[in-house]
Amino acid sequence: MIGLPAGTKVWLAAGTTDMRSGFNGLAAKVQTALEEDPFSGHVFVFRGRRGDLIKLLWWTGDGLCLLAKRLERGRFIWPQASNGSVALTQAQLSMLLEGIDWRRPERTCKPTSAL
């Protein structure tokens, strides 16, 4: 997990996002759909339709970072709402990135074989 500065808020964009979007498309969604400032230093998290891919948009003070993660098995746990945003703690973000249900810390997919 990337060490985020103290006071950094984490926002999940409810619903699904077109994962073909890059820096500009996701920054536009932050401004229009979430009504937030993409250059605020907060982290904005988006999930694709299938649920196995997320992208994070984060302004570091000198540029935007776009991070992506795809789960090989399982899906990222996401809120039921179709629009708006949900605030997470940095600990909940860490769990989300590990594929753990951040609402109830429990793995979404347990390994069955080491091979």
Side-chain angles (χ1 to χ4, degrees), residues 4-23:
L4 299 174
T8 302
K9 293 182 181 177
V10 179
W11 299 101
L12 290 185
T16 60
T17 300
D18 183 353
M19 288 288 101
R20 295 174 295 181
S21 299
F23 292 98

Side-chain angles (χ1 to χ4, degrees), residues 42-99:
H42 300 306
V43 176
F44 301 93
V45 187
F46 304 90
R47 188 182 91 154
R49 187 181 72 247
R50 289 191 322 226
D52 64 342
L53 177 66
I54 60 172
K55 288 187 176 181
L56 288 79
L57 187 68
W58 177 37
W59 174 257
T60 60
D62 59 356
L64 279 172
C65 292
L66 181 60
L67 310 166
K69 182 166 184 178
R70 183 184 72 202
L71 290 177
E72 293 301 319
R73 295 183 50 197
R75 300 201 185 304
F76 291 105
I77 303 302
W78 218 247
Q80 295 292 332
S82 61
N83 58 27
S85 62
V86 174
L88 293 184
T89 65
Q90 291 185 25
Q92 288 172 321
L93 175 62
S94 293
M95 286 186 276
L96 173 72
L97 291 173
E98 291 295 323

